[in-house]
Amino acid sequence: MPALGAPPALRVFGVTKRFGAVVANKDISLDVARGEIHAIVGENGAGKSTLMSILMGMVTPDAGEIFVDGVRARIRSPRDAAALGLGMVHQHFMLVDTLDVLDNVMLGAEGGALLAAGRKRARARLADLSRAHGLSVDPDAIVGDLPVGLRQRVEILKALARDARIIILDEPTAALTPDEANDLGLLMRWLAADGASILFITHKLNEALAVADRISVLRAGAVVATHAAAATDARELARAMVGRDVDNALSRGDGPPGRTLLEARDLTARGADGRARLSGVSLSLRAGEIVGVAGVAGHGQSELIEVLAAMRRMESGALALDGEPVDAAVYDPARARALGVAHVPEDRSRHGIVGEFPAAGNAILGRHRDRALGRRLLDPGAIRARCADLMERWDVRPRAPDTPVGRFSGGNQQKLVFAREIEAGPAILLVGQPTRGVDIGAIEAIHRRLLALRDAGKAILLVSVELDEIFALSDRILVMHEGRIVGERATASTDRREIGLLMAGVVERAA
Amino acid sequence: MAMENILSFLGAALRLSTPLIYACLAGLWSERAGVIDVGLEGKMLAGAFAGAAVAALTGDVGIGLAAAVAASMTLAAAQGFVEVERGGDQIVCGMAVNMIGAGVTAFVGAALFAEGGRTPALPREARVLPFVWGQDALTLGAFGVAAITAFILYRTRFGLRLRAAGENPRALDAAGGSVRATRHAAVAVCGLLCGLSGADLSLAQAAGFLPAMTAGKGFIALAALVFAKWRPGAALATCLLFGGLDAAAIRMEGAPLPFLGVIPTQAFQALPYLMTVVLLAGFVGGARPPAAAGQPYRRE
């Protein structure tokens, strides 16, 4: 617990940063005491990343001051930040994949022009840290070969090896299994008890509530609330984040699922590197049900949805749509669409939209052969009208068919993609990470729509790394690990713990 | 006789490899730091010309060498400004350097010496001459530069940062290293080595400058760099192999081979390129360039 009377380890006072007309940080003030875990929650674009970049010296604020241990600090570069004892664990790890763990830990703090002495010191330091915190990792392993959880550990060790006393973790649980996330929470507690101050950035309110001492909510660049974790709840935080009440009660019809619309047997697929990504995956999808696919990122879920959507070649296996076998040799995305399969890809900006194209063009991508859009030549008027209609029905804002879609918010881009895919009337919907980079308001809307589609008799396959989402929407849950389906559960008869164990590859015991 | 033949073949192979080794290591420095350089050829030409022209005017090989390095490093500095400072396209800028190198040397050469772009033939004292085993200091120096490159790259702080700048510059920046300074330094060393490569052509292998005398060696060096997978030791070996093939091509000219008869020399000369194409097509292991090569670094 924070010592009384001592100045806070970190004080941010009145920090403001503008990028052009956008105010990314507006008069932000917050304190982190010694030994405190302070969570910062907020939606995408609320200004969390900008604030962190300012603290780490990557961005210079327009106004405001930062105090470390009560002393005014000038942080002009990452080097200054490190010298003041600030360390950061980035969401997208700042590691060099081709180097080994030692070199990564040393980089930027090599301690001399020649590496040999520094490597020796770093090796000793890692051994100490391993003893002190139980954070062991092979110092000679190439970072690119390590699993995500261990790579994050290297990031943490990198900060600790530099004697960081104020540690910033940016969305650290995004790529972890629930168990790994729990371990990370324990580590944060341990480090805080040891006197470190921790800034924990997340969009998962439950995690913030479980781990943090205090929670600050960022909305539109400003701190709108700071609560003691013990004195608040998810509902209050969500309201502060969004600026209105969030109703996350979802309702679903209780009709039984209908006939099988998609049946896959023994699908296998390889990545570009020749490694197996799918090994004998079988699943079926019936009308009127949502089947969730859970798993740690990178365990074959992406490949599964790509194979089903004809974006990746299946090496072997069989696929049947509505009882009709599909000829793998001629199954391509256009054919998939013709057969009533719609696809909302998980990487929206790569496969879902063309950012530079106007919204109107994006609203017909892949659906452009529709005669209603023009017979020989495309009819721009008809395309704009189609887009305007989709925008109206899905509440895409702004209603601006001519604006490049890259300028829309993530949530509105995603709504446009959903509108395009769903309004074409598919029987089967393949959805990857439907709410990635999407604000809470749009998440609500998308979840409701998905359930409505389910109730209307569509078959929906939902791949998501957000377990909350899987649990909220799915009727059945499939768990993937290393390219296989390692478990299937009815949502009603399982819990997060069991799914989490399956995700971690803990093999099912014969019960 | 046979022994003599072998020795003279090896000597020729070494000589022909020398400019490739310098150029290939030049490219290695730049690209391992994340700056693709297709402008090796242009900088080599500038170095070759400046070296020969200044050596001809002063009669001093040392001043000639310095001029070669200075000319090449000037172009490298311009590349550094465009590519590192301003974030310009590295391929386009490299091609521009090639055009400047080819055009300016021929133009200035014609204006200064009125011999159709050639520089006057250099006297002995203005050339780099063999002094041991029939080899000159530049050839021997190439091996030293390869060793020094390997040492700096893998054993020093600067080398670690250089590799980080080429693989994940954001990681280097976040760790408190300067991507900008690292890349500038790498590009400068690239200029230095291209200057030596050019000087070898006009001061050691020939006694003066001829327009376009690099004859694509800058691109062969790039091919060798890919073949060597951006590693200094392998770069040295690959350049020796390519130089050896070149020497073989010259020896084989018109001489029939058993079973095959007379093989056109072009077939030998084409081998390095064929080998590179086969490699790039993924038949011989993958050649993975530094992950951030070609990407200007900007903070978000």
Side-chain angles (χ1 to χ4, degrees), chain A residues 23-25 28 41-50 218-222 241:
Chain A
V23 187
N25 279 179
I28 288 188
V41 298
E43 300 208 64
N44 290 297
K48 293 173 294 183
S49 316
T50 303
L218 235 56
R219 184 172 82 229
M241 265 166 83

Side-chain angles (χ1 to χ4, degrees), chain A residues 57-58 78-79 90 94-96 98-99 103 106-108 110 112-115 162, chain B residues 151 154-157 160-161 163-164 167-168 170-176 288 299:
Chain A
M58 305 280 276
R79 183 165 290 273
H90 295 83
M94 291 295 170
L95 298 172
V96 182
T98 49
L99 300 180
D103 279 346
M106 277 180 14
L107 182 65
E110 299 86 348
L114 296 182
L115 292 181
R162 276 153 222 240
Chain B
F151 180 81
Y154 296 116
R155 300 287 177 86
T156 69
R157 170 173 62 196
L160 176 63
R161 292 183 176 192
R163 286 178 286 144
E167 290 288 342
N168 186 358
R170 281 177 61 74
L172 176 61
D173 193 12
R288 198 192 63 82
R299 277 187 184 170

Side-chain angles (χ1 to χ4, degrees), chain A residues 368-426:
Chain A
H368 52 279
R369 287 173 204 274
D370 187 341
R371 284 297 178 88
L373 298 173
R375 293 188 71 81
R376 285 207 179 72
L377 297 174
L378 291 171
D379 172 0
I383 294 171
R384 295 185 71 248
R386 163 76 56 89
C387 181
D389 178 43
L390 294 178
M391 286 175 144
E392 197 59 43
R393 283 202 242 172
W394 277 76
D395 191 23
V396 178
R397 293 178 216 190
R399 304 254 202 288
D402 296 323
T403 302
V405 83
R407 293 207 208 133
F408 286 71
S409 72
N412 284 301
Q413 291 176 0
Q414 190 72 321
K415 282 195 211 167
L416 191 62
V417 173
F418 265 100
R420 176 182 78 207
E421 296 303 319
I422 286 170
E423 299 297 334

